[in-house]
Amino acid sequence: MGRLRASFLLTGFILSALLLMPVQAVALKFGLPLAKRLPNRYHRFLCKLVGIRVVTRGEPYAGGACLIAANHTSWLDIPVMASLQPSSFVAKSEVAGWPFFGTLARLQETVFVERERRTRTAESRNAIHSRIAAGDRLVLFPEGTSSDGNRVLPFKSALMSVAQLTIVNGDEDREDDLVVQPVSVAYVKLHGLPMGRQFRPFFAWYGDMELFPHLWEAFSLGPIDVVVEYHKPVTIREIGNRKALALYCEEACRRGVSRALVGRWDAEEEAGRIEPSRPADASMPRAATQ
């Protein structure tokens, strides 16, 4: 049954994507509103097809465009987050050259950055800023890679420097601080039962895993539950600097993943929690956040 399920889901995923690719390409070319709505609707369909039940906690930032800083576990993070709100993503430049998936990423207006070249950081930052200033909601994975789903890796701070730039409010011609909202994603249940550490790596895509064999494995196992938690949005003015901002987002996502994995969440506690990083901590050199 697992192989039959995987065959059906993989076929449905590929065929549905191929059918919608030309429609999205035309919508992008002519600047149609459909170009923003179609990926959101497609990812909702994909989550239903695969059997992903998304449980949300907290509230997404409703004041306009913002930068989302999320932990990264799997390729599943893309349909999960894009199914909740129209979103584009920040990805490493190599993704643009991937067969099939690179095309999907371009059609969703992904911002491609060269993470390994520090000399291109300012260029990448400006590209992200221009998209947010245009009203887009961008998702950044500051870990720079994906994890095994049982933990959150240290957040790198380089691209967090985009929060140092302001956004012009077109209606009032006012410069506003760029808002950053941490969002944690945790894979918690398989067939309605706690997933446990032994099964979570089947859905996490990390290390040197080949993508298509991993897709086959994940599709064969069955429906899953995912918890997405929106944490308190902040600006760099509230936090202090980009390293402190990265640390704040890292701690918020780590707290959210930990809570989701143990099945505990306190709405009142989270609503009033901002926890800007201490200046002493933020100024300490951390190789992982450079």
Side-chain angles (χ1 to χ4, degrees), residues 73-74 76 146-149 199-206 209 214:
T73 299
S74 169
L76 289 170
S146 51
S147 72
D148 62 4
F199 282 107
R200 201 164 290 112
F202 286 104
F203 297 95
W205 181 49
Y206 61 101
M209 292 181 179
H214 180 265

Side-chain angles (χ1 to χ4, degrees), residues 66-95:
C66 73
L67 177 69
I68 291 175
N71 63 293
H72 193 22
T73 299
S74 169
W75 61 272
L76 289 170
D77 297 342
I78 307 299
V80 165
M81 299 194 69
S83 71
L84 298 173
Q85 294 178 298
S87 306
S88 294
F89 295 82
V90 179
K92 57 185 180 181
S93 56
E94 299 94 288
V95 173

Side-chain angles (χ1 to χ4, degrees), residues 67-71 115 140-144 152-164 178-183 231-232 234-255 274-278 281-290:
L67 177 69
I68 291 175
N71 63 293
R115 290 182 179 271
L140 171 69
F141 299 116
E143 290 164 298
V152 173
L153 303 176
F155 278 20
K156 299 178 181 179
S157 68
L159 293 179
M160 288 290 190
S161 61
V162 68
Q164 296 170 341
L178 190 151
V179 174
V180 180
Q181 182 169 36
V183 176
H231 302 276
K232 189 176 181 64
V234 296
T235 66
I236 202 167
R237 191 188 305 271
E238 295 175 87
I239 297 297
N241 56 55
R242 64 179 174 86
K243 292 185 179 181
L245 178 61
L247 185 56
Y248 164 73
C249 293
E250 175 189 329
E251 291 173 344
C253 288
R254 180 171 287 117
R255 191 169 64 245
I274 180 170
E275 294 188 357
S277 301
R278 295 178 297 277
D281 293 339
S283 61
M284 291 176 63
R286 290 180 58 188
T289 59
Q290 299 302 309

Side-chain angles (χ1 to χ4, degrees), residues 182-203:
V183 176
S184 56
V185 182
Y187 296 82
V188 297
K189 291 183 180 180
L190 175 62
H191 288 287
L193 300 174
M195 189 176 292
R197 298 180 66 91
Q198 69 274 29
F199 282 107
R200 201 164 290 112
F202 286 104
F203 297 95

Side-chain angles (χ1 to χ4, degrees), residues 23-268:
V23 180
Q24 178 68 2
V26 171
L28 283 173
K29 182 176 181 179
F30 293 99
L32 303 178
L34 181 64
K36 302 295 184 184
R37 298 197 302 265
L38 185 58
N40 174 243
R41 293 175 180 176
Y42 171 68
H43 287 299
R44 288 184 190 176
F45 159 78
L46 187 58
C47 285
K48 290 182 179 179
L49 175 70
V50 177
I52 302 173
R53 189 172 76 98
V54 183
V55 177
T56 60
R57 294 170 174 169
E59 296 292 334
Y61 176 68
C66 73
L67 177 69
I68 291 175
N71 63 293
H72 193 22
T73 299
S74 169
W75 61 272
L76 289 170
D77 297 342
I78 307 299
V80 165
M81 299 194 69
S83 71
L84 298 173
Q85 294 178 298
S87 306
S88 294
F89 295 82
V90 179
K92 57 185 180 181
S93 56
E94 299 94 288
V95 173
W98 290 359
F100 185 67
F101 291 97
T103 302
L104 286 176
R106 289 192 295 274
L107 289 174
Q108 197 162 347
E109 299 183 276
T110 296
V111 177
F112 298 105
V113 300
E114 296 189 43
R115 290 182 179 271
E116 304 304 320
R117 297 180 60 181
R118 289 176 178 268
T119 56
R120 304 298 292 272
T121 298
E123 181 180 329
S124 299
R125 177 199 64 194
N126 293 339
I128 294 170
H129 176 264
S130 65
R131 287 287 300 279
I132 297 175
D136 286 349
R137 183 177 297 267
L138 286 184
V139 179
L140 171 69
F141 299 116
E143 290 164 298
T145 187
S146 51
S147 72
D148 62 4
N150 292 307
R151 58 189 176 134
V152 173
L153 303 176
F155 278 20
K156 299 178 181 179
S157 68
L159 293 179
M160 288 290 190
S161 61
V162 68
Q164 296 170 341
L165 307 177
T166 58
I167 300 294
V168 176
N169 187 311
D171 295 332
E172 302 176 13
D173 196 26
R174 182 187 70 241
E175 288 193 359
D176 295 328
D177 292 330
L178 190 151
V179 174
V180 180
Q181 182 169 36
V183 176
S184 56
V185 182
Y187 296 82
V188 297
K189 291 183 180 180
L190 175 62
H191 288 287
L193 300 174
M195 189 176 292
R197 298 180 66 91
Q198 69 274 29
F199 282 107
R200 201 164 290 112
F202 286 104
F203 297 95
W205 181 49
Y206 61 101
D208 58 356
M209 292 181 179
E210 295 291 335
L211 183 53
F212 273 100
H214 180 265
L215 280 171
W216 180 269
E217 191 78 48
F219 284 169
S220 68
L221 286 176
I224 60 174
D225 285 22
V226 183
V227 174
V228 175
E229 182 174 347
Y230 294 93
H231 302 276
K232 189 176 181 64
V234 296
T235 66
I236 202 167
R237 191 188 305 271
E238 295 175 87
I239 297 297
N241 56 55
R242 64 179 174 86
K243 292 185 179 181
L245 178 61
L247 185 56
Y248 164 73
C249 293
E250 175 189 329
E251 291 173 344
C253 288
R254 180 171 287 117
R255 191 169 64 245
V257 168
S258 176
R259 274 202 300 253
L261 295 185
V262 300
R264 175 187 172 274
W265 187 63
D266 187 330
E268 293 183 358

